[in-house]
Amino acid sequence: MKNLFFKKVYEIVSRIPKGKVISYGKIASFLGNPRQGRIVGWAMHSSPNGIPWHRVVMKNGKLPFQETQEGYLNQYNLLLKEGISFSKDKTVDMEKHEWKIELPL
DNA sequence: CGAATGACCAAGC
DNA sequence: GGCTTGGCCATTC
Protein backbone atom coordinates (compact mmCIF):
# COMPACT_ATOMS: atom_id res chain seq x y z
CA MET A 1 0.00 0.00 0.00
CA LYS A 2 0.93 3.58 -0.28
CA ASN A 3 0.58 4.95 3.19
CA LEU A 4 3.49 5.35 5.48
CA PHE A 5 1.59 3.88 8.34
CA PHE A 6 0.77 0.78 6.38
CA LYS A 7 4.27 0.55 5.10
CA LYS A 8 5.69 0.67 8.59
CA VAL A 9 3.25 -1.92 9.76
CA TYR A 10 4.40 -4.22 7.01
CA GLU A 11 8.02 -3.51 7.77
CA ILE A 12 7.50 -4.49 11.37
CA VAL A 13 5.35 -7.50 10.71
CA SER A 14 7.74 -8.84 8.13
CA ARG A 15 10.51 -8.63 10.69
CA ILE A 16 8.79 -10.73 13.29
CA PRO A 17 11.07 -13.70 13.81
CA LYS A 18 9.73 -17.19 13.37
CA GLY A 19 8.14 -18.46 16.52
CA LYS A 20 7.26 -15.02 17.80
CA VAL A 21 4.06 -13.03 17.85
CA ILE A 22 3.07 -9.48 18.56
CA SER A 23 -0.14 -7.67 19.27
CA TYR A 24 -1.85 -5.12 17.08
CA GLY A 25 -1.67 -2.64 19.87
CA LYS A 26 2.08 -2.98 20.23
CA ILE A 27 2.60 -2.24 16.60
CA ALA A 28 0.25 0.69 16.70
CA SER A 29 1.89 1.92 19.84
CA PHE A 30 5.32 1.65 18.29
CA LEU A 31 4.15 3.74 15.41
CA GLY A 32 2.93 6.41 17.75
CA ASN A 33 -0.76 5.56 17.88
CA PRO A 34 -1.30 3.62 21.07
CA ARG A 35 -4.99 2.94 20.63
CA GLN A 36 -5.25 2.27 16.99
CA GLY A 37 -4.95 -1.40 16.48
CA ARG A 38 -7.84 -1.05 14.08
CA ILE A 39 -5.65 0.49 11.48
CA VAL A 40 -3.08 -2.20 11.98
CA GLY A 41 -5.93 -4.62 11.59
CA TRP A 42 -6.79 -3.01 8.32
CA ALA A 43 -3.23 -3.24 7.22
CA MET A 44 -3.28 -6.95 7.92
CA HIS A 45 -6.57 -7.43 6.20
CA SER A 46 -5.13 -6.11 3.01
CA SER A 47 -1.60 -7.26 3.57
CA PRO A 48 0.49 -8.01 0.49
CA ASN A 49 1.97 -11.41 -0.13
CA GLY A 50 4.86 -12.46 2.04
CA ILE A 51 3.62 -10.73 5.14
CA PRO A 52 3.43 -13.11 8.10
CA TRP A 53 0.16 -11.68 9.27
CA HIS A 54 -0.53 -14.80 11.27
CA ARG A 55 2.13 -13.72 13.75
CA VAL A 56 -0.03 -10.81 14.75
CA VAL A 57 -2.56 -11.54 17.46
CA MET A 58 -4.65 -9.62 19.91
CA LYS A 59 -3.21 -8.22 23.06
CA ASN A 60 -4.72 -10.94 25.19
CA GLY A 61 -3.25 -13.63 22.96
CA LYS A 62 -6.44 -14.39 21.13
CA LEU A 63 -6.59 -14.68 17.41
CA PRO A 64 -8.38 -11.89 15.58
CA PHE A 65 -10.95 -14.34 14.22
CA GLN A 66 -14.03 -15.89 15.67
CA GLU A 67 -13.60 -19.60 16.02
CA THR A 68 -16.43 -20.02 13.60
CA GLN A 69 -14.50 -18.26 10.88
CA GLU A 70 -12.24 -20.07 8.47
CA GLY A 71 -9.17 -17.98 8.94
CA TYR A 72 -9.07 -19.03 12.52
CA LEU A 73 -7.78 -22.54 11.98
CA ASN A 74 -5.65 -21.16 9.22
CA GLN A 75 -3.76 -18.90 11.52
CA TYR A 76 -3.81 -21.43 14.30
CA ASN A 77 -2.08 -24.05 12.21
CA LEU A 78 0.43 -21.65 10.79
CA LEU A 79 1.44 -20.59 14.26
CA LEU A 80 1.63 -24.18 15.45
CA LYS A 81 3.99 -24.95 12.61
CA GLU A 82 6.30 -22.21 13.75
CA GLY A 83 6.47 -23.67 17.20
CA ILE A 84 4.14 -21.31 18.99
CA SER A 85 2.31 -22.85 21.90
CA PHE A 86 -1.34 -22.30 22.66
CA SER A 87 -3.36 -22.59 25.80
CA LYS A 88 -6.50 -24.70 26.05
CA ASP A 89 -8.61 -21.77 25.04
CA LYS A 90 -6.63 -21.38 21.84
CA THR A 91 -4.78 -18.31 22.92
CA VAL A 92 -1.12 -17.66 22.27
CA ASP A 93 1.20 -17.73 25.23
CA MET A 94 2.17 -14.10 25.03
CA GLU A 95 4.60 -14.32 27.90
CA LYS A 96 6.76 -16.73 25.99
CA HIS A 97 6.25 -15.64 22.45
CA GLU A 98 5.70 -11.94 22.47
CA TRP A 99 8.25 -10.30 20.26
CA LYS A 100 9.73 -7.01 21.30
CA ILE A 101 10.23 -4.57 18.51
CA GLU A 102 13.94 -4.03 18.55
CA LEU A 103 14.91 -1.46 16.04
CA PRO A 104 13.57 1.60 14.44
CA LEU A 105 12.90 1.26 10.78
C1' DC B 1 -17.16 15.55 1.26
C1' DG B 2 -20.06 12.90 4.83
C1' DA B 3 -21.21 8.40 6.68
C1' DA B 4 -20.26 3.81 7.56
C1' DT B 5 -16.94 0.06 8.53
C1' DG B 6 -13.05 -2.42 10.54
C1' DA B 7 -8.54 -9.06 11.85
C1' DC B 8 -8.53 -3.04 18.20
C1' DC B 9 -8.37 -1.22 23.06
C1' DA B 10 -9.61 0.65 27.44
C1' DA B 11 -12.93 2.15 30.58
C1' DG B 12 -17.49 1.89 32.60
C1' DC B 13 -21.67 -0.23 34.00
C1' DG C 1 -17.46 -10.87 34.06
C1' DG C 2 -19.98 -10.09 29.76
C1' DC C 3 -21.95 -6.11 27.11
C1' DT C 4 -21.87 -1.17 25.65
C1' DT C 5 -19.55 3.19 24.59
C1' DG C 6 -16.11 6.18 22.98
C1' DG C 7 -11.85 6.95 20.76
C1' DC C 8 -8.84 6.63 17.08
C1' DC C 9 -7.86 6.96 11.88
C1' DA C 10 -7.41 4.81 7.11
C1' DT C 11 -10.38 2.99 3.56
C1' DT C 12 -14.65 2.46 0.98
C1' DC C 13 -19.09 3.91 -0.85
Side-chain angles (χ1 to χ4, degrees):
Chain A
M1 299 298 266
K2 45 195 175 183
N3 291 82
L4 186 60
F5 192 91
F6 274 44
K7 192 181 171 189
K8 284 187 174 182
V9 170
Y10 297 142
E11 292 268 350
I12 293 174
V13 173
S14 59
R15 283 173 199 201
I16 302 178
K18 183 181 174 184
K20 296 285 182 179
V21 296
I22 195 170
S23 73
Y24 292 89
K26 282 278 168 50
I27 296 175
S29 178
F30 184 79
L31 296 180
N33 305 306
R35 292 179 197 86
Q36 284 140 263
R38 326 181 105 191
I39 305 171
V40 179
W42 242 106
M44 293 301 101
H45 181 238
S46 56
S47 61
N49 238 357
I51 300 295
W53 58 269
H54 52 275
R55 294 183 190 149
V56 184
V57 297
M58 298 220 212
K59 192 181 152 196
N60 52 4
K62 284 189 174 243
L63 305 187
F65 297 100
Q66 305 289 337
E67 295 189 31
T68 56
Q69 294 180 282
E70 292 184 20
Y72 191 91
L73 277 182
N74 229 8
Q75 184 174 14
Y76 182 80
N77 287 325
L78 284 169
L79 291 175
L80 271 187
K81 267 190 198 170
E82 301 194 343
I84 291 182
S85 58
F86 286 80
S87 316
K88 297 178 190 174
D89 53 348
K90 306 282 201 300
T91 62
V92 179
D93 190 339
M94 294 298 281
E95 299 285 318
K96 276 188 194 164
H97 302 295
E98 183 170 25
W99 177 63
K100 294 190 172 190
I101 301 177
E102 292 159 357
L103 5 131
L105 310 167

